Amino acid sequence: LAVAILPSCIFFGFGIEKILDFFRTKFRFKESSAIFLVVCLMLVSGFPKNVKGRETDKIIFRQIGELIAKREGNHQVINVAGTSSKFHRWVSFYANLHYPGVFFQKDMGITGKTYEQFIDNLRKNKIRYFLWEEKQWMGEHFDFLHAGYQQDFNELGCWSHPDTGLVILFEVIDSV
């Protein structure tokens, strides 16, 4: 790559020199004004890419984590159960973002082959939050949404994302 880039700098320099000559002769700019204008044009050409938000569709994971953090207050590490996915890790990260100590992401993946085992494990481990992701959950675990979860969970929010499908945050009732 360097073999191609370094020799091209000569042509780039000649091009800039031609542009400077054009501004000096056509518009009668001083050399310093022409250089300033060319530098400004170079900076402005890269500006839109740097101003545009990156991965703005991922904002929902931050919102979910901040909702949990707001409810808990960040006095202790907040464990969030869910499938082992990068989205689950992002939610856990944002939920513990302002925790004053050291936060170590434990794998709070799905434990239990049945709904009853799952809810017992959540309560035994004192996990207050569960993040359900449609595309991660379907076909791999028991049918959570049709398991009669209303007596064990409060639904705190529902979001949609192209990578995960429907995302629902639940609070476990009587988990503390």
PDB file of all heavy atoms in Angstrom, residues 22-50:
ATOM      1  N   PHE A  22      -3.872  28.598 -10.157  1.00  0.00           N
ATOM      2  CA  PHE A  22      -5.161  29.000 -10.706  1.00  0.00           C
ATOM      3  C   PHE A  22      -5.782  30.123  -9.872  1.00  0.00           C
ATOM      4  O   PHE A  22      -6.255  31.125 -10.416  1.00  0.00           O
ATOM      5  CB  PHE A  22      -6.104  27.784 -10.744  1.00  0.00           C
ATOM      6  CG  PHE A  22      -7.505  28.099 -11.154  1.00  0.00           C
ATOM      7  CD1 PHE A  22      -7.803  28.336 -12.492  1.00  0.00           C
ATOM      8  CD2 PHE A  22      -8.514  28.183 -10.207  1.00  0.00           C
ATOM      9  CE1 PHE A  22      -9.106  28.634 -12.878  1.00  0.00           C
ATOM     10  CE2 PHE A  22      -9.809  28.477 -10.585  1.00  0.00           C
ATOM     11  CZ  PHE A  22     -10.107  28.714 -11.921  1.00  0.00           C
ATOM     12  N   PHE A  23      -5.762  29.997  -8.550  1.00  0.00           N
ATOM     13  CA  PHE A  23      -6.331  31.036  -7.683  1.00  0.00           C
ATOM     14  C   PHE A  23      -5.526  32.330  -7.752  1.00  0.00           C
ATOM     15  O   PHE A  23      -6.093  33.426  -7.686  1.00  0.00           O
ATOM     16  CB  PHE A  23      -6.427  30.564  -6.233  1.00  0.00           C
ATOM     17  CG  PHE A  23      -7.553  29.611  -5.962  1.00  0.00           C
ATOM     18  CD1 PHE A  23      -7.347  28.442  -5.258  1.00  0.00           C
ATOM     19  CD2 PHE A  23      -8.839  29.888  -6.409  1.00  0.00           C
ATOM     20  CE1 PHE A  23      -8.392  27.564  -5.008  1.00  0.00           C
ATOM     21  CE2 PHE A  23      -9.886  29.022  -6.163  1.00  0.00           C
ATOM     22  CZ  PHE A  23      -9.667  27.851  -5.464  1.00  0.00           C
ATOM     23  N   ARG A  24      -4.198  32.226  -7.902  1.00  0.00           N
ATOM     24  CA  ARG A  24      -3.367  33.435  -7.980  1.00  0.00           C
ATOM     25  C   ARG A  24      -3.561  34.165  -9.299  1.00  0.00           C
ATOM     26  O   ARG A  24      -3.606  35.394  -9.325  1.00  0.00           O
ATOM     27  CB  ARG A  24      -1.898  33.075  -7.788  1.00  0.00           C
ATOM     28  CG  ARG A  24      -1.541  32.813  -6.333  1.00  0.00           C
ATOM     29  CD  ARG A  24      -0.066  32.659  -6.166  1.00  0.00           C
ATOM     30  NE  ARG A  24       0.354  31.448  -6.874  1.00  0.00           N
ATOM     31  CZ  ARG A  24       1.166  30.547  -6.409  1.00  0.00           C
ATOM     32  NH1 ARG A  24       1.707  30.706  -5.230  1.00  0.00           N
ATOM     33  NH2 ARG A  24       1.471  29.482  -7.093  1.00  0.00           N
ATOM     34  N   THR A  25      -3.674  33.432 -10.396  1.00  0.00           N
ATOM     35  CA  THR A  25      -3.791  34.093 -11.695  1.00  0.00           C
ATOM     36  C   THR A  25      -5.227  34.479 -12.024  1.00  0.00           C
ATOM     37  O   THR A  25      -5.472  35.602 -12.476  1.00  0.00           O
ATOM     38  CB  THR A  25      -3.242  33.189 -12.824  1.00  0.00           C
ATOM     39  OG1 THR A  25      -3.951  31.964 -12.814  1.00  0.00           O
ATOM     40  CG2 THR A  25      -1.759  32.952 -12.665  1.00  0.00           C
ATOM     41  N   LYS A  26      -6.158  33.616 -11.821  1.00  0.00           N
ATOM     42  CA  LYS A  26      -7.553  33.857 -12.204  1.00  0.00           C
ATOM     43  C   LYS A  26      -8.236  34.856 -11.261  1.00  0.00           C
ATOM     44  O   LYS A  26      -8.938  35.750 -11.712  1.00  0.00           O
ATOM     45  CB  LYS A  26      -8.317  32.522 -12.214  1.00  0.00           C
ATOM     46  CG  LYS A  26      -9.719  32.606 -12.712  1.00  0.00           C
ATOM     47  CD  LYS A  26      -9.756  32.723 -14.201  1.00  0.00           C
ATOM     48  CE  LYS A  26     -11.195  32.592 -14.698  1.00  0.00           C
ATOM     49  NZ  LYS A  26     -11.296  32.823 -16.101  1.00  0.00           N
ATOM     50  N   PHE A  27      -8.038  34.705  -9.957  1.00  0.00           N
ATOM     51  CA  PHE A  27      -8.718  35.545  -8.978  1.00  0.00           C
ATOM     52  C   PHE A  27      -7.791  36.560  -8.318  1.00  0.00           C
ATOM     53  O   PHE A  27      -8.224  37.314  -7.458  1.00  0.00           O
ATOM     54  CB  PHE A  27      -9.376  34.671  -7.903  1.00  0.00           C
ATOM     55  CG  PHE A  27     -10.418  33.726  -8.446  1.00  0.00           C
ATOM     56  CD1 PHE A  27     -10.186  32.369  -8.487  1.00  0.00           C
ATOM     57  CD2 PHE A  27     -11.620  34.217  -8.935  1.00  0.00           C
ATOM     58  CE1 PHE A  27     -11.142  31.510  -8.985  1.00  0.00           C
ATOM     59  CE2 PHE A  27     -12.582  33.360  -9.426  1.00  0.00           C
ATOM     60  CZ  PHE A  27     -12.347  31.989  -9.464  1.00  0.00           C
ATOM     61  N   ARG A  28      -6.506  36.511  -8.680  1.00  0.00           N
ATOM     62  CA  ARG A  28      -5.482  37.440  -8.170  1.00  0.00           C
ATOM     63  C   ARG A  28      -5.384  37.429  -6.633  1.00  0.00           C
ATOM     64  O   ARG A  28      -5.327  38.465  -5.987  1.00  0.00           O
ATOM     65  CB  ARG A  28      -5.762  38.847  -8.682  1.00  0.00           C
ATOM     66  CG  ARG A  28      -5.631  38.931 -10.171  1.00  0.00           C
ATOM     67  CD  ARG A  28      -5.585  40.327 -10.640  1.00  0.00           C
ATOM     68  NE  ARG A  28      -5.355  40.299 -12.078  1.00  0.00           N
ATOM     69  CZ  ARG A  28      -6.035  41.030 -12.928  1.00  0.00           C
ATOM     70  NH1 ARG A  28      -6.943  41.871 -12.507  1.00  0.00           N
ATOM     71  NH2 ARG A  28      -5.768  40.945 -14.208  1.00  0.00           N
ATOM     72  N   PHE A  29      -5.407  36.219  -6.092  1.00  0.00           N
ATOM     73  CA  PHE A  29      -5.217  36.060  -4.660  1.00  0.00           C
ATOM     74  C   PHE A  29      -3.728  36.124  -4.350  1.00  0.00           C
ATOM     75  O   PHE A  29      -2.886  35.763  -5.176  1.00  0.00           O
ATOM     76  CB  PHE A  29      -5.730  34.698  -4.178  1.00  0.00           C
ATOM     77  CG  PHE A  29      -7.221  34.566  -4.070  1.00  0.00           C
ATOM     78  CD1 PHE A  29      -7.786  33.326  -3.865  1.00  0.00           C
ATOM     79  CD2 PHE A  29      -8.060  35.664  -4.146  1.00  0.00           C
ATOM     80  CE1 PHE A  29      -9.160  33.177  -3.746  1.00  0.00           C
ATOM     81  CE2 PHE A  29      -9.420  35.525  -4.034  1.00  0.00           C
ATOM     82  CZ  PHE A  29      -9.974  34.278  -3.824  1.00  0.00           C
ATOM     83  N   LYS A  30      -3.411  36.549  -3.128  1.00  0.00           N
ATOM     84  CA  LYS A  30      -2.034  36.443  -2.652  1.00  0.00           C
ATOM     85  C   LYS A  30      -1.759  34.969  -2.410  1.00  0.00           C
ATOM     86  O   LYS A  30      -2.683  34.173  -2.229  1.00  0.00           O
ATOM     87  CB  LYS A  30      -1.853  37.214  -1.346  1.00  0.00           C
ATOM     88  CG  LYS A  30      -2.011  38.691  -1.462  1.00  0.00           C
ATOM     89  CD  LYS A  30      -1.770  39.291  -0.089  1.00  0.00           C
ATOM     90  CE  LYS A  30      -2.201  40.731  -0.055  1.00  0.00           C
ATOM     91  NZ  LYS A  30      -2.103  41.277   1.280  1.00  0.00           N
ATOM     92  N   GLU A  31      -0.504  34.623  -2.358  1.00  0.00           N
ATOM     93  CA  GLU A  31      -0.152  33.213  -2.156  1.00  0.00           C
ATOM     94  C   GLU A  31      -0.695  32.688  -0.821  1.00  0.00           C
ATOM     95  O   GLU A  31      -1.230  31.593  -0.752  1.00  0.00           O
ATOM     96  CB  GLU A  31       1.363  33.013  -2.216  1.00  0.00           C
ATOM     97  CG  GLU A  31       1.759  31.553  -2.110  1.00  0.00           C
ATOM     98  CD  GLU A  31       3.241  31.310  -2.349  1.00  0.00           C
ATOM     99  OE1 GLU A  31       3.965  32.246  -2.689  1.00  0.00           O
ATOM    100  OE2 GLU A  31       3.636  30.154  -2.175  1.00  0.00           O
ATOM    101  N   SER A  32      -0.573  33.484   0.236  1.00  0.00           N
ATOM    102  CA  SER A  32      -1.060  33.047   1.543  1.00  0.00           C
ATOM    103  C   SER A  32      -2.584  32.864   1.533  1.00  0.00           C
ATOM    104  O   SER A  32      -3.115  31.936   2.137  1.00  0.00           O
ATOM    105  CB  SER A  32      -0.644  34.037   2.633  1.00  0.00           C
ATOM    106  OG  SER A  32      -1.168  35.320   2.355  1.00  0.00           O
ATOM    107  N   SER A  33      -3.311  33.736   0.831  1.00  0.00           N
ATOM    108  CA  SER A  33      -4.774  33.610   0.741  1.00  0.00           C
ATOM    109  C   SER A  33      -5.163  32.367  -0.051  1.00  0.00           C
ATOM    110  O   SER A  33      -6.122  31.674   0.300  1.00  0.00           O
ATOM    111  CB  SER A  33      -5.383  34.841   0.075  1.00  0.00           C
ATOM    112  OG  SER A  33      -5.101  35.990   0.833  1.00  0.00           O
ATOM    113  N   ALA A  34      -4.421  32.089  -1.113  1.00  0.00           N
ATOM    114  CA  ALA A  34      -4.709  30.911  -1.929  1.00  0.00           C
ATOM    115  C   ALA A  34      -4.453  29.635  -1.129  1.00  0.00           C
ATOM    116  O   ALA A  34      -5.244  28.685  -1.187  1.00  0.00           O
ATOM    117  CB  ALA A  34      -3.865  30.931  -3.199  1.00  0.00           C
ATOM    118  N   ILE A  35      -3.369  29.603  -0.384  1.00  0.00           N
ATOM    119  CA  ILE A  35      -3.052  28.433   0.448  1.00  0.00           C
ATOM    120  C   ILE A  35      -4.138  28.243   1.506  1.00  0.00           C
ATOM    121  O   ILE A  35      -4.622  27.127   1.728  1.00  0.00           O
ATOM    122  CB  ILE A  35      -1.654  28.569   1.102  1.00  0.00           C
ATOM    123  CG1 ILE A  35      -0.565  28.460   0.035  1.00  0.00           C
ATOM    124  CG2 ILE A  35      -1.452  27.530   2.197  1.00  0.00           C
ATOM    125  CD1 ILE A  35       0.820  28.774   0.541  1.00  0.00           C
ATOM    126  N   PHE A  36      -4.545  29.351   2.136  1.00  0.00           N
ATOM    127  CA  PHE A  36      -5.593  29.274   3.149  1.00  0.00           C
ATOM    128  C   PHE A  36      -6.883  28.722   2.543  1.00  0.00           C
ATOM    129  O   PHE A  36      -7.537  27.870   3.137  1.00  0.00           O
ATOM    130  CB  PHE A  36      -5.824  30.666   3.759  1.00  0.00           C
ATOM    131  CG  PHE A  36      -6.921  30.689   4.775  1.00  0.00           C
ATOM    132  CD1 PHE A  36      -6.717  30.181   6.047  1.00  0.00           C
ATOM    133  CD2 PHE A  36      -8.161  31.214   4.465  1.00  0.00           C
ATOM    134  CE1 PHE A  36      -7.731  30.188   6.987  1.00  0.00           C
ATOM    135  CE2 PHE A  36      -9.187  31.227   5.394  1.00  0.00           C
ATOM    136  CZ  PHE A  36      -8.966  30.722   6.661  1.00  0.00           C
ATOM    137  N   LEU A  37      -7.253  29.188   1.362  1.00  0.00           N
ATOM    138  CA  LEU A  37      -8.469  28.724   0.709  1.00  0.00           C
ATOM    139  C   LEU A  37      -8.400  27.237   0.360  1.00  0.00           C
ATOM    140  O   LEU A  37      -9.358  26.487   0.578  1.00  0.00           O
ATOM    141  CB  LEU A  37      -8.743  29.553  -0.548  1.00  0.00           C
ATOM    142  CG  LEU A  37     -10.014  29.228  -1.301  1.00  0.00           C
ATOM    143  CD1 LEU A  37     -11.227  29.516  -0.430  1.00  0.00           C
ATOM    144  CD2 LEU A  37     -10.092  30.005  -2.584  1.00  0.00           C
ATOM    145  N   VAL A  38      -7.266  26.788  -0.144  1.00  0.00           N
ATOM    146  CA  VAL A  38      -7.103  25.366  -0.501  1.00  0.00           C
ATOM    147  C   VAL A  38      -7.170  24.490   0.756  1.00  0.00           C
ATOM    148  O   VAL A  38      -7.810  23.442   0.754  1.00  0.00           O
ATOM    149  CB  VAL A  38      -5.783  25.139  -1.280  1.00  0.00           C
ATOM    150  CG1 VAL A  38      -5.454  23.669  -1.386  1.00  0.00           C
ATOM    151  CG2 VAL A  38      -5.874  25.777  -2.652  1.00  0.00           C
ATOM    152  N   VAL A  39      -6.514  24.930   1.827  1.00  0.00           N
ATOM    153  CA  VAL A  39      -6.560  24.166   3.080  1.00  0.00           C
ATOM    154  C   VAL A  39      -7.997  24.102   3.595  1.00  0.00           C
ATOM    155  O   VAL A  39      -8.470  23.039   4.024  1.00  0.00           O
ATOM    156  CB  VAL A  39      -5.609  24.780   4.136  1.00  0.00           C
ATOM    157  CG1 VAL A  39      -5.859  24.197   5.515  1.00  0.00           C
ATOM    158  CG2 VAL A  39      -4.163  24.564   3.730  1.00  0.00           C
ATOM    159  N   CYS A  40      -8.718  25.230   3.541  1.00  0.00           N
ATOM    160  CA  CYS A  40     -10.125  25.232   3.984  1.00  0.00           C
ATOM    161  C   CYS A  40     -10.963  24.294   3.123  1.00  0.00           C
ATOM    162  O   CYS A  40     -11.817  23.566   3.647  1.00  0.00           O
ATOM    163  CB  CYS A  40     -10.691  26.648   3.938  1.00  0.00           C
ATOM    164  SG  CYS A  40     -10.078  27.683   5.269  1.00  0.00           S
ATOM    165  N   LEU A  41     -10.758  24.281   1.820  1.00  0.00           N
ATOM    166  CA  LEU A  41     -11.507  23.383   0.937  1.00  0.00           C
ATOM    167  C   LEU A  41     -11.211  21.918   1.261  1.00  0.00           C
ATOM    168  O   LEU A  41     -12.117  21.078   1.227  1.00  0.00           O
ATOM    169  CB  LEU A  41     -11.185  23.681  -0.528  1.00  0.00           C
ATOM    170  CG  LEU A  41     -11.762  24.990  -1.086  1.00  0.00           C
ATOM    171  CD1 LEU A  41     -11.216  25.243  -2.485  1.00  0.00           C
ATOM    172  CD2 LEU A  41     -13.265  24.946  -1.086  1.00  0.00           C
ATOM    173  N   MET A  42      -9.960  21.624   1.586  1.00  0.00           N
ATOM    174  CA  MET A  42      -9.603  20.245   1.946  1.00  0.00           C
ATOM    175  C   MET A  42     -10.292  19.827   3.253  1.00  0.00           C
ATOM    176  O   MET A  42     -10.801  18.703   3.358  1.00  0.00           O
ATOM    177  CB  MET A  42      -8.084  20.103   2.113  1.00  0.00           C
ATOM    178  CG  MET A  42      -7.324  20.245   0.833  1.00  0.00           C
ATOM    179  SD  MET A  42      -5.582  20.338   1.220  1.00  0.00           S
ATOM    180  CE  MET A  42      -4.990  19.018   0.227  1.00  0.00           C
ATOM    181  N   LEU A  43     -10.302  20.720   4.224  1.00  0.00           N
ATOM    182  CA  LEU A  43     -10.940  20.399   5.498  1.00  0.00           C
ATOM    183  C   LEU A  43     -12.451  20.278   5.352  1.00  0.00           C
ATOM    184  O   LEU A  43     -13.065  19.374   5.922  1.00  0.00           O
ATOM    185  CB  LEU A  43     -10.600  21.475   6.543  1.00  0.00           C
ATOM    186  CG  LEU A  43      -9.150  21.523   7.002  1.00  0.00           C
ATOM    187  CD1 LEU A  43      -8.927  22.703   7.935  1.00  0.00           C
ATOM    188  CD2 LEU A  43      -8.753  20.231   7.680  1.00  0.00           C
ATOM    189  N   VAL A  44     -13.057  21.164   4.577  1.00  0.00           N
ATOM    190  CA  VAL A  44     -14.505  21.131   4.393  1.00  0.00           C
ATOM    191  C   VAL A  44     -14.931  19.883   3.637  1.00  0.00           C
ATOM    192  O   VAL A  44     -16.010  19.340   3.878  1.00  0.00           O
ATOM    193  CB  VAL A  44     -14.983  22.424   3.688  1.00  0.00           C
ATOM    194  CG1 VAL A  44     -16.407  22.299   3.184  1.00  0.00           C
ATOM    195  CG2 VAL A  44     -14.867  23.596   4.636  1.00  0.00           C
ATOM    196  N   SER A  45     -14.098  19.386   2.737  1.00  0.00           N
ATOM    197  CA  SER A  45     -14.481  18.192   1.971  1.00  0.00           C
ATOM    198  C   SER A  45     -14.625  16.954   2.861  1.00  0.00           C
ATOM    199  O   SER A  45     -15.409  16.057   2.558  1.00  0.00           O
ATOM    200  CB  SER A  45     -13.472  17.929   0.852  1.00  0.00           C
ATOM    201  OG  SER A  45     -12.224  17.540   1.402  1.00  0.00           O
ATOM    202  N   GLY A  46     -13.911  16.890   3.971  1.00  0.00           N
ATOM    203  CA  GLY A  46     -14.018  15.746   4.879  1.00  0.00           C
ATOM    204  C   GLY A  46     -14.958  15.984   6.051  1.00  0.00           C
ATOM    205  O   GLY A  46     -15.242  15.075   6.824  1.00  0.00           O
ATOM    206  N   PHE A  47     -15.462  17.187   6.172  1.00  0.00           N
ATOM    207  CA  PHE A  47     -16.303  17.557   7.307  1.00  0.00           C
ATOM    208  C   PHE A  47     -17.614  16.784   7.394  1.00  0.00           C
ATOM    209  O   PHE A  47     -17.961  16.300   8.474  1.00  0.00           O
ATOM    210  CB  PHE A  47     -16.554  19.067   7.257  1.00  0.00           C
ATOM    211  CG  PHE A  47     -17.209  19.605   8.485  1.00  0.00           C
ATOM    212  CD1 PHE A  47     -16.554  19.610   9.703  1.00  0.00           C
ATOM    213  CD2 PHE A  47     -18.491  20.110   8.426  1.00  0.00           C
ATOM    214  CE1 PHE A  47     -17.152  20.110  10.831  1.00  0.00           C
ATOM    215  CE2 PHE A  47     -19.101  20.603   9.557  1.00  0.00           C
ATOM    216  CZ  PHE A  47     -18.434  20.612  10.760  1.00  0.00           C
ATOM    217  N   PRO A  48     -18.390  16.617   6.322  1.00  0.00           N
ATOM    218  CA  PRO A  48     -19.680  15.915   6.456  1.00  0.00           C
ATOM    219  C   PRO A  48     -19.561  14.492   6.993  1.00  0.00           C
ATOM    220  O   PRO A  48     -20.400  14.040   7.769  1.00  0.00           O
ATOM    221  CB  PRO A  48     -20.240  15.911   5.029  1.00  0.00           C
ATOM    222  CG  PRO A  48     -19.576  17.046   4.353  1.00  0.00           C
ATOM    223  CD  PRO A  48     -18.220  17.153   4.989  1.00  0.00           C
ATOM    224  N   LYS A  49     -18.516  13.792   6.617  1.00  0.00           N
ATOM    225  CA  LYS A  49     -18.348  12.417   7.096  1.00  0.00           C
ATOM    226  C   LYS A  49     -18.096  12.389   8.600  1.00  0.00           C
ATOM    227  O   LYS A  49     -18.581  11.508   9.297  1.00  0.00           O
ATOM    228  CB  LYS A  49     -17.181  11.759   6.363  1.00  0.00           C
ATOM    229  CG  LYS A  49     -16.940  10.337   6.815  1.00  0.00           C
ATOM    230  CD  LYS A  49     -15.757   9.717   6.140  1.00  0.00           C
ATOM    231  CE  LYS A  49     -15.519   8.331   6.685  1.00  0.00           C
ATOM    232  NZ  LYS A  49     -14.275   7.765   6.274  1.00  0.00           N
ATOM    233  N   ASN A  50     -17.362  13.377   9.101  1.00  0.00           N
ATOM    234  CA  ASN A  50     -17.039  13.410  10.521  1.00  0.00           C
ATOM    235  C   ASN A  50     -18.189  13.925  11.380  1.00  0.00           C
ATOM    236  O   ASN A  50     -18.237  13.647  12.564  1.00  0.00           O
ATOM    237  CB  ASN A  50     -15.797  14.267  10.755  1.00  0.00           C
ATOM    238  CG  ASN A  50     -14.571  13.612  10.182  1.00  0.00           C
ATOM    239  OD1 ASN A  50     -14.441  12.405  10.206  1.00  0.00           O
ATOM    240  ND2 ASN A  50     -13.670  14.405   9.640  1.00  0.00           N
TER     241      ASN A  50
END
